[in-house]
Amino acid sequence: MLRFFRIQGGLIHEIHSTEDNVLQLLHEADWIDMNEPNDEERLQLQSLLSTDLPESNDVEEIEASARCFVDQAGIHVHSLFLSQSEGRHRTTTVACILQKNRLITVREGEIADFRLLRMRARRAQIAVDSPAELLVTLLEHKVENHADTLEDLHRQLEGVSHLVLEEHETELDTVIEKLARLEDSNGKIRLCLMDTQRDISFLLRHLRTQYEYAETLREIMRDVDTLMSHTTFLFDKINFLMDSTQGFINIEQNKIIKIFSIASVVFLPPTLVASLYGMNFKFMPELHWSFGYPWAIGLMILSGFAPYWYFKHRGWL
């Protein structure tokens, strides 16, 4: 799908395309957003760029030289964005190509940052004067959305903390699953922030002649540094709660093992007594004694009660 935007009066506006004006908009649009393009759309845009569009495998490369570079098509920035699918956060790489007169973004799947940007563009709330400023604005929105997501994760973590430390009848297996999801989301946000740091450093070097964007990029970098510290705090809290949960699980397991251990110790002396009187020796005085059976039963009861009383007296029960 191709979406076209134009900068008019210092604001970005979406232009609705038809089959007849696609080629015209490819040349006139200030921002071309390509989402899961088909072969025909890729060919149309490649003819405009006079170069091949990056494939999915290309944009997923992690080397700095493969993610941020400059060629005849313009300034390339492959940036990680956060998306959500089936209740889980995922990372998606967006290929951004900044040219003198346009910005081109190539991506796979729906991303909340782009959806929010389109919505604000329809309301005429995105003030930009050039494609370069639009790219900076896109990164700024990305960081703001990461901050909102981190706040949401923190609220969820507070709820899990209450379950672990204050609720006495909590399914600890469920708690571990929630903590694992929060740790995974926090890790993906941190990965996106680290990638954003690299993107901003690259843009500061290659947009150094455009001083009006440098301060905004540095401010975004400071926000990223703050959020990186927050992700570290969340990691520490998640690890603490994970350790606490595992500790409570161990305590519950130890209680069960303790019960079995005490039961085996309590029944061991009666078993010994029963084993002695189960021997087949010829001379055993109690065999011909009329009180032999009650004597053996009483001895087994007494020998079983004695360790129980001892454990109770020592406070082990």
Side-chain angles (χ1 to χ4, degrees):
M1 177 184 292
L2 288 173
R3 289 190 174 93
F4 302 94
F5 299 82
R6 184 175 294 161
I7 298 173
Q8 295 176 337
L11 297 172
I12 189 77
H13 300 277
E14 184 172 2
I15 308 169
H16 298 287
S17 61
T18 62
E19 293 183 1
D20 299 330
N21 67 350
V22 168
L23 292 177
Q24 178 184 356
L25 292 177
L26 282 171
H27 289 84
E28 296 179 356
D30 296 301
W31 176 25
I32 303 173
D33 181 31
M34 178 179 288
N35 182 19
E36 298 182 356
N38 55 38
D39 293 338
E40 181 181 356
E41 291 171 340
R42 292 185 72 90
L43 288 173
Q44 289 174 339
L45 196 53
Q46 285 176 176
S47 64
L48 175 66
L49 294 175
S50 300
T51 187
D52 293 336
L53 284 176
E55 299 288 345
S56 298
N57 295 334
D58 298 329
V59 299
E60 295 298 336
E61 295 288 341
I62 63 172
E63 296 89 349
S65 59
R67 297 186 66 82
C68 299
F69 57 93
V70 179
D71 63 7
Q72 70 276 11
I75 298 175
H76 295 254
V77 176
H78 296 172
S79 185
L80 272 178
F81 282 77
L82 200 67
S83 62
Q84 194 166 15
S85 175
E86 299 177 355
R88 289 184 176 273
H89 288 103
R90 305 182 187 278
T91 55
T92 303
T93 300
V94 178
C96 303
I97 306 172
L98 178 62
Q99 297 180 320
K100 183 178 181 180
N101 298 321
R102 70 176 61 88
L103 171 67
I104 301 169
T105 53
V106 184
R107 57 192 173 91
E108 299 287 337
E110 190 59 49
I111 300 174
D113 302 273
F114 285 81
R115 185 170 60 249
L116 179 61
L117 204 63
R118 291 198 308 270
M119 182 185 70
R120 296 185 64 183
R122 294 192 196 101
R123 298 176 180 176
Q125 296 175 338
I126 306 297
V128 293
D129 292 321
S130 66
E133 187 176 2
L134 179 59
L135 177 58
V136 174
T137 301
L138 181 60
L139 292 176
E140 186 176 18
H141 278 74
K142 171 186 172 182
V143 173
E144 289 176 359
N145 289 337
H146 287 344
D148 293 338
T149 306
L150 281 174
E151 290 177 2
D152 183 59
L153 290 183
H154 187 267
R155 284 192 293 269
Q156 294 181 45
L157 196 57
E158 287 297 318
V160 175
S161 177
H162 177 76
L163 288 177
V164 173
L165 302 177
E166 299 184 29
E167 292 290 339
H168 301 292
E169 298 181 358
T170 303
E171 291 292 336
L172 296 178
D173 293 343
T174 304
V175 169
I176 289 180
E177 181 181 351
K178 290 180 179 179
L179 289 173
R181 288 202 175 197
L182 290 172
E183 193 276 338
D184 181 67
S185 297
N186 193 47
K188 287 183 168 60
I189 293 174
R190 186 178 180 86
L191 183 62
C192 290
L193 291 172
M194 292 169 61
D195 187 75
T196 304
Q197 283 182 321
R198 180 166 50 184
D199 297 339
I200 293 174
S201 297
F202 177 81
L203 289 174
L204 282 171
R205 291 195 304 271
H206 289 83
L207 296 179
R208 57 179 177 270
T209 58
Q210 303 181 42
Y211 302 104
E212 64 271 23
Y213 310 136
E215 184 56 36
T216 303
L217 288 171
R218 292 192 184 95
E219 185 176 345
I220 297 173
M221 183 71 85
R222 288 192 290 268
D223 291 339
V224 170
D225 291 337
T226 303
L227 295 178
M228 290 284 285
S229 301
H230 196 65
T231 60
T232 302
F233 163 75
L234 290 181
F235 273 128
D236 292 340
K237 189 172 181 65
I238 289 171
N239 288 332
F240 166 73
L241 291 175
M242 186 69 77
D243 292 341
S244 300
T245 303
Q246 291 176 341
F248 287 132
I249 291 175
N250 291 335
I251 291 173
E252 293 297 325
Q253 291 176 340
N254 289 338
K255 287 181 180 178
I256 296 173
I257 294 174
K258 180 180 178 181
I259 292 172
F260 280 108
S261 299
I262 293 174
S264 62
V265 172
V266 167
F267 285 103
L268 186 60
T271 303
L272 177 60
V273 173
S275 299
L276 289 173
Y277 285 105
M279 297 178 181
N280 293 319
F281 294 112
K282 183 175 181 179
F283 296 103
M284 294 186 70
E286 292 86 359
L287 290 177
H288 303 287
W289 185 29
S290 59
F291 294 101
Y293 177 73
W295 163 259
I297 294 296
L299 190 60
M300 285 189 285
I301 293 174
L302 181 62
S303 62
F305 179 77
Y308 175 81
W309 176 85
Y310 179 76
F311 292 154
K312 194 76 172 177
H313 179 71
R314 295 297 299 270
W316 295 349
L317 290 175

